[in-house]
Amino acid sequence: MGGEKRILKYLMLKDSVQVTDLTLEFELEKSEVEDAIKKINSSFKKDVIFYQRDGVYMTENSKMLCYKTLLKGEKLFSHYEFRERYYLLIIVLAVENKYLSLLELADICLVSKNTILNDLKCMKRDISKKGIEIDYSRKHGYSIKGSEFTIRNILVSAVKNILHSQAGRILLEENSLIKESEIFRLRKRLERLETRIGFRLTDEQLDELPYIIQLVLRRAKKFNQSWSFKIEKYDIKNTIEFPEIQKMFWDFDYLSQSDLLYLSLQVLASNMVESALEITDGDQVAIAAEEFLQNIETNLVMKIHRRNELKEKILLHVRPAIYRNLLGFQINNPLTEEFLSQYQEIYEVVKKSVTPFQKITQKELSKEEIVYLSMIVLGLIYETEETEAIYKAVVLCQSGTSISKLLLVNLKSMFPEIYFIGAYSVRQFEQNNLDVDFIFTTVPVKHKTSTFIIPPILDKQDRLELKERVQCEMLGNNDKMVQSVMRAIKPYISEQHIETVYKKVGDLLSNPYTSSSNEDLNNEKKLFRFSIDNISIINEEISWEQLVDISMKPLLRRKSVTAAYIEETKKAFYANYDKMIIAQNVYLPHFSPENGVNRMDFQVLVFKNPTFTPNGEKVSIVVALAPSVTNEHVPTLIKLNNIFSDEKTLAQIINEKSIFVTENILNEKGAEQNCEL
Amino acid sequence: MKKVIVACGSGVATSQTVASKVAKLLKEKNVKAEVEAIDIKSLDRFIKTCDVYVALTNPQKDYGVPVVQGIPFLTGMGMEQELEKLINALK
């Protein structure tokens, strides 16, 4: 069997070969080769080697069968080609999630340390483009570092590449990266999942997914830290498919919600995870949103008030919706039927107007998604200008989705005397620490503020009851009203009369109906709190060309922006730097948030050795900005403009050596002059 | 109400800051106007409906509406003149 075994091993490592290749390689006659193939096939009682006119080849399954039965522990690979080594390195570094020495890596890849060094160099160059680094420590060796989402994507694509290489499954097995029994178990679970959620994986997917999942699971187990990625906001958890996929991993108790979400994406649309993000983050969605609004205006024969704001809100919802649609998730919207029974007309208009979005996905948007969009449209076209109100309130629901936005519309029309700050999920509300007088919520919450638990859609009876309860509460909250009125009229009262007027107003307002007060909503605006991390004092001399990279580096490190965002910023800034300022000679490199901003962030850099612009202007201060889609950064920019416009303060910041003093100046000064649009 | 648009490259930072400042200054001078920040790509669409254009990039052509320079509102240098130009254009 020795000769046959050699032929078998040779074939296992090849794609398809000609018989002449075999005759030359093994110095055999054609008939001897044919005999050997026949002998091997008959020993398996089926064809494991396929001999056809176009060549001799083995399938990946037959390779695995031969490996298991014939080689029995004997290694198939004596060396790996560069391509295999490259992907093997990525997989090993990702699943081990620890430092591996050069020797360990060389042993795994069956090559010398020098070759590994070269391989690592190539790999480093490639993956750095995605913001991933190979960290090196003299003591411990090499480790992969960067965004968990990107590392997992790189891992998945490396596994796919290995699976597509010759005897890739065997390669994984020989390196103890996978367990055959586990692969079998995962495959069975995927088959059951297909029946449960009624979707169909292709044979190739069913073949590859168990390997991908097993290696992602290994990474998740070793990683074992809390992490999150952009898709978290995309409401995938609220889909029909997610809970079912979650069940599939019931016995992997170390998996976090983000891990499960990531695995769901792999199961439903592994080849779309990144490309769908590119589509949803790109300009075409914004263009489609514009067309959508034009359609709405045409179909409703009206001009939308505060159009930009509506567009922002539509974009915030529709990017995830398109992502879900591309990936095949179906959103769960418990209010669909109820909404349709009350607002069928608006639904029809929205349905007619969503074609620009459908052009992107090449699929129809589901009824549920259209209802969500209808809720937003309905919410904003009826929204009136903010009125000066005495009370402030928020609307809460479980997920902060469009359900609460619809409620918001209803409540605004019912209570014009209340200023509704917005609709939030319970978690968002808790994090934001908003100061309100009332909370309207569809889920019970524990809060010191007066709370009204209400159904998601209010019928006539609900409205009457709620109105009564809220008015009762307002009567009991007389102090608040008195304070608001006093704040408004205080400047016009002489000091000695304040107490008397306070009392009189109090008496007067024991009557529930009152006029509005001049509450200054301005103070509600949140200003960015600078910490020392947001300030850099740079002593080194730097060049003009390095300016944006150096300024943006801290934002990239904090993962507030992507490398792509920095590239776009560079293009925009170097073409237009004289207009990208926040005050005289204070430069503000930035780009649109849709191009890679993960969260709002600022970095103020003071250059002790200033560089100069091509126009010869000195650059002492740069504010690197990651803007928010909802313009939350604007109040802070106005504040910075105030600070930097003051010559004395500007000189103080430029000359200051202590980062703590600068921090103090940035947080304390300028806020009093804050103004709003 | 008269409308002022402020346009910069991205429409998210400089134009927003200038728009806020312009709105505040107009309010102080008792001039009623709606001030909106936009990105430069949307300029052609918005320019038709506005009364004054506050430019943060060099205007590429004559839009047929008065143009006021936006940078002085950030630097403070020449701001008074530009504000006066703006107020006159809104009269």
Side-chain angles (χ1 to χ4, degrees):
Chain A
M1 197 71 193
E4 284 95 54
K5 205 166 170 179
R6 274 172 50 228
I7 294 179
L8 197 60
K9 279 176 91 170
Y10 179 81
L11 286 172
M12 280 162 85
L13 292 168
K14 298 274 181 207
D15 185 5
S16 166
V17 295
Q18 297 300 320
V19 180
T20 44
D21 296 333
L22 291 170
T23 56
L24 288 173
E25 177 75 27
F26 297 101
E27 293 175 2
L28 295 170
E29 291 298 321
K30 191 179 169 198
S31 59
E32 286 175 309
V33 169
E34 286 170 355
D35 282 346
I37 293 174
K38 272 184 203 150
K39 213 165 161 187
I40 296 168
N41 281 343
S42 65
S43 76
F44 280 94
K45 297 194 176 78
K46 68 171 187 179
D47 283 357
V48 287
I49 300 172
F50 300 88
Y51 178 23
Q52 286 168 354
R53 202 186 296 163
D54 54 347
V56 183
Y57 66 93
M58 294 178 76
T59 65
E60 286 302 313
N61 282 340
S62 60
K63 285 177 188 176
M64 186 52 110
L65 179 69
C66 295
Y67 175 73
K68 289 275 172 195
T69 47
L70 230 58
L71 297 190
K72 284 181 193 147
E74 192 185 326
K75 298 263 182 198
L76 173 66
F77 287 93
S78 57
H79 71 287
Y80 300 123
E81 299 297 329
F82 168 74
R83 192 171 173 275
E84 276 93 349
R85 290 199 307 271
Y86 182 93
Y87 295 119
L88 184 58
L89 279 173
I90 294 180
I91 297 174
V92 171
L93 286 168
V95 299
E96 288 302 332
N97 192 35
K98 62 175 186 185
Y99 284 91
L100 291 167
S101 70
L102 200 57
L103 185 65
E104 281 172 302
L105 294 174
D107 282 348
I108 292 168
C109 293
L110 310 173
V111 284
S112 70
K113 288 199 277 187
N114 264 345
T115 314
I116 286 294
L117 267 179
N118 271 332
D119 292 352
L120 282 169
K121 216 163 125 190
C122 294
M123 189 166 105
K124 223 171 159 172
R125 194 187 54 221
D126 293 351
I127 62 174
S128 70
K129 289 177 197 152
K130 300 185 174 184
I132 300 297
E133 285 170 39
I134 299 292
D135 193 34
Y136 170 67
S137 132
R138 189 195 281 259
K139 199 171 162 195
H140 306 290
Y142 297 85
S143 167
I144 196 161
K145 293 263 155 30
S147 135
E148 187 55 20
F149 179 58
T150 316
I151 291 180
R152 291 195 189 194
N153 286 342
I154 292 176
L155 168 65
V156 169
S157 108
V159 177
K160 282 185 187 168
N161 276 304
I162 288 285
L163 291 176
H164 290 170
S165 66
Q166 294 311 313
R169 288 159 179 73
I170 299 173
L171 185 153
L172 293 174
E173 172 115 2
E174 285 194 345
N175 285 290
S176 310
L177 286 164
I178 48 145
K179 255 194 201 158
E180 193 62 21
S181 57
E182 196 56 28
I183 296 290
F184 179 76
R185 202 154 67 107
L186 286 169
R187 195 188 156 98
K188 286 288 155 212
R189 287 189 185 192
L190 283 169
E191 285 169 355
R192 276 201 297 275
L193 182 74
E194 282 188 309
T195 348
R196 282 211 307 272
I197 58 178
F199 81 122
R200 202 98 217 122
L201 292 165
T202 64
D203 290 353
E204 192 190 2
Q205 284 170 324
L206 198 58
D207 214 12
E208 291 179 355
L209 263 175
Y211 291 90
I212 293 170
I213 293 174
Q214 192 174 94
L215 288 159
V216 170
L217 284 170
R218 279 191 65 169
R219 163 88 193 166
K221 191 170 184 181
K222 288 270 172 68
F223 185 64
N224 207 15
Q225 284 172 34
S226 92
W227 69 291
S228 63
F229 58 114
K230 213 174 156 182
I231 329 297
E232 287 243 309
K233 295 180 207 144
Y234 285 15
D235 218 4
I236 301 259
K237 287 180 196 161
N238 193 23
T239 58
I240 298 160
E241 292 83 0
F242 181 73
E244 290 297 335
I245 298 175
Q246 195 173 10
K247 270 189 222 156
M248 178 180 153
F249 298 104
W250 64 272
D251 51 346
F252 295 90
D253 51 6
Y254 53 84
L255 293 177
S256 68
Q257 284 287 300
S258 294
D259 291 330
L260 286 164
L261 208 50
Y262 188 80
L263 286 164
S264 309
L265 298 183
Q266 291 302 332
V267 171
L268 280 186
S270 64
N271 48 357
M272 291 288 288
V273 175
E274 276 179 297
S275 59
L277 259 189
E278 270 168 35
I279 294 174
T280 46
D281 282 356
D283 278 348
Q284 53 171 328
V285 181
I287 295 166
E290 185 54 46
E291 288 173 26
F292 168 72
L293 286 183
Q294 282 166 10
N295 291 349
I296 292 276
E297 284 181 323
T298 316
N299 292 332
L300 283 174
V301 202
M302 66 173 287
K303 198 158 168 48
I304 298 167
H305 179 61
R306 285 153 72 181
R307 202 169 188 280
N308 268 0
E309 196 183 325
L310 177 57
K311 190 174 158 186
E312 291 291 343
K313 294 204 169 155
I314 292 284
L315 273 176
L316 273 181
H317 179 84
V318 94
R319 286 191 199 277
I322 286 180
Y323 190 79
R324 287 190 293 263
N325 190 282
L326 285 168
L327 263 53
F329 284 97
Q330 298 170 60
I331 191 81
N332 204 357
N333 186 346
L335 291 181
T336 304
E337 293 313 317
E338 262 183 284
F339 183 88
L340 285 176
S341 67
Q342 286 204 37
Y343 303 103
Q344 182 73 35
E345 302 82 355
I346 194 93
Y347 171 82
E348 293 301 335
V349 169
V350 173
K351 193 178 170 194
K352 243 166 75 182
S353 312
V354 294
T355 39
F357 300 130
Q358 292 177 167
K359 265 189 207 150
I360 296 175
T361 58
Q362 297 290 319
K363 282 186 223 164
E364 285 209 354
L365 281 181
S366 69
K367 188 155 81 176
E368 283 75 9
E369 294 283 15
I370 296 176
V371 165
Y372 271 127
L373 278 175
S374 310
M375 287 172 167
I376 299 171
V377 170
L378 183 71
L380 273 130
I381 54 179
Y382 288 149
E383 197 165 52
T384 50
E385 290 267 15
E386 272 171 26
T387 47
E388 287 175 342
I390 298 168
Y391 297 102
K392 279 175 279 172
V394 283
V395 179
L396 304 183
C397 77
Q398 193 74 58
S399 58
T401 56
S402 317
I403 297 171
S404 43
K405 299 212 170 59
L406 179 68
L407 252 182
L408 193 62
V409 186
N410 279 323
L411 291 171
K412 274 184 179 173
S413 63
M414 281 169 68
F415 302 107
E417 62 272 54
I418 298 178
Y419 167 60
F420 285 89
I421 295 177
Y424 301 89
S425 74
V426 177
R427 206 164 50 91
Q428 277 171 332
F429 175 67
E430 280 164 0
Q431 283 166 355
N432 284 334
N433 200 17
L434 299 166
D435 175 26
V436 292
D437 302 300
F438 303 124
I439 297 171
F440 294 87
T441 172
T442 57
V443 282
V445 285
K446 231 180 167 179
H447 205 273
K448 56 181 190 317
T449 312
S450 308
T451 304
F452 303 98
I453 301 178
I454 48 175
I457 287 192
L458 299 161
D459 63 22
K460 210 173 163 189
Q461 188 57 29
D462 292 332
R463 283 167 194 258
L464 279 174
E465 282 174 20
L466 183 64
K467 219 161 181 164
E468 211 167 292
R469 278 164 60 203
V470 173
Q471 267 168 3
C472 235
E473 197 63 39
M474 284 178 178
L475 280 173
N477 202 350
N478 203 26
D479 267 1
K480 171 82 188 169
M481 231 187 285
V482 179
Q483 277 167 18
S484 298
V485 174
M486 283 305 290
R487 206 166 35 235
I489 61 173
K490 209 171 167 182
Y492 314 104
I493 311 165
S494 63
E495 194 69 35
Q496 77 228 47
H497 293 130
I498 284 182
E499 216 171 346
T500 324
V501 177
Y502 197 105
K503 199 171 169 299
K504 288 264 179 206
V505 172
D507 292 345
L508 209 68
L509 292 186
S510 48
N511 183 337
Y513 299 100
T514 104
S515 57
S516 311
S517 85
N518 262 338
E519 192 157 0
D520 187 2
L521 300 171
N522 224 3
N523 298 333
E524 291 302 311
K525 293 229 165 172
K526 280 260 160 72
L527 287 169
F528 184 82
R529 183 95 199 150
F530 288 90
S531 78
I532 52 166
D533 291 337
N534 300 104
I535 302 157
S536 314
I537 296 179
I538 313 265
N539 293 310
E540 296 80 41
E541 218 169 283
I542 65 143
S543 69
W544 170 243
E545 290 74 25
Q546 290 172 297
L547 188 71
V548 176
D549 275 327
I550 288 175
S551 308
M552 284 284 169
K553 207 171 167 188
L555 304 191
L556 183 68
R557 201 178 49 232
R558 291 196 286 272
K559 299 193 181 69
S560 308
V561 298
T562 61
Y565 173 80
I566 299 178
E567 285 310 309
E568 293 296 339
T569 303
K570 268 156 77 174
K571 273 188 240 159
F573 181 76
Y574 288 122
N576 227 339
Y577 62 88
D578 56 335
K579 304 286 190 295
M580 267 196 208
I581 59 172
I582 187 63
Q584 182 74 32
N585 291 352
V586 178
Y587 293 84
L588 181 74
H590 68 276
F591 203 65
S592 338
E594 293 87 9
N595 291 276
V597 172
N598 297 324
R599 63 169 167 274
M600 175 180 79
D601 202 355
F602 290 83
Q603 188 73 22
V604 175
L605 299 104
V606 183
F607 295 95
K608 295 288 180 189
N609 271 308
T611 181
F612 290 87
T613 70
N615 286 349
E617 297 284 348
K618 202 193 256 183
V619 185
S620 295
I621 302 185
V622 169
V623 178
L625 169 68
S628 98
V629 181
T630 47
N631 284 337
E632 282 159 50
H633 56 283
V634 177
T636 308
L637 284 181
I638 295 162
K639 176 180 155 175
L640 289 177
N641 174 253
N642 289 331
I643 293 175
F644 295 132
S645 297
D646 181 70
E647 273 176 42
K648 246 168 107 185
T649 317
L650 184 68
Q652 195 188 351
I653 293 175
I654 291 175
N655 296 323
E656 186 52 61
K657 286 185 186 130
S658 159
I659 212 159
F660 295 99
V661 177
T662 308
E663 180 199 9
N664 200 31
I665 299 173
L666 291 177
N667 286 322
E668 300 311 321
K669 288 209 175 185
E672 66 275 4
Q673 294 171 49
N674 188 16
C675 52
E676 71 173 334
L677 192 63
Chain B
M1 198 177 340
K2 299 259 178 164
K3 193 169 173 182
V4 180
I5 56 166
V6 188
C8 73
S10 64
V12 294
T14 13
S15 58
Q16 294 281 358
T17 311
V18 171
S20 288
K21 233 175 160 173
V22 166
K24 188 186 171 215
L25 290 166
L26 290 179
K27 206 171 162 189
E28 281 170 8
K29 302 266 181 188
N30 274 330
V31 180
K32 283 197 173 162
E34 188 188 336
V35 187
E36 190 168 7
I38 60 160
D39 67 306
I40 198 77
K41 281 186 235 149
S42 323
L43 183 64
D44 279 336
R45 196 155 41 78
F46 281 91
I47 201 102
K48 295 171 204 148
T49 56
C50 80
D51 300 284
V52 187
Y53 163 37
V54 179
L56 282 157
T57 51
N58 297 327
Q60 300 295 313
K61 55 184 176 193
D62 181 8
Y63 292 98
V65 292
V67 180
V68 170
Q69 289 308 317
I71 291 293
F73 291 95
L74 289 172
T75 62
M77 279 152 50
M79 185 174 84
E80 285 305 322
Q81 290 95 303
E82 292 302 313
L83 180 64
E84 205 181 315
K85 242 165 89 182
L86 174 66
I87 293 171
N88 285 335
L90 288 170
K91 271 182 188 162

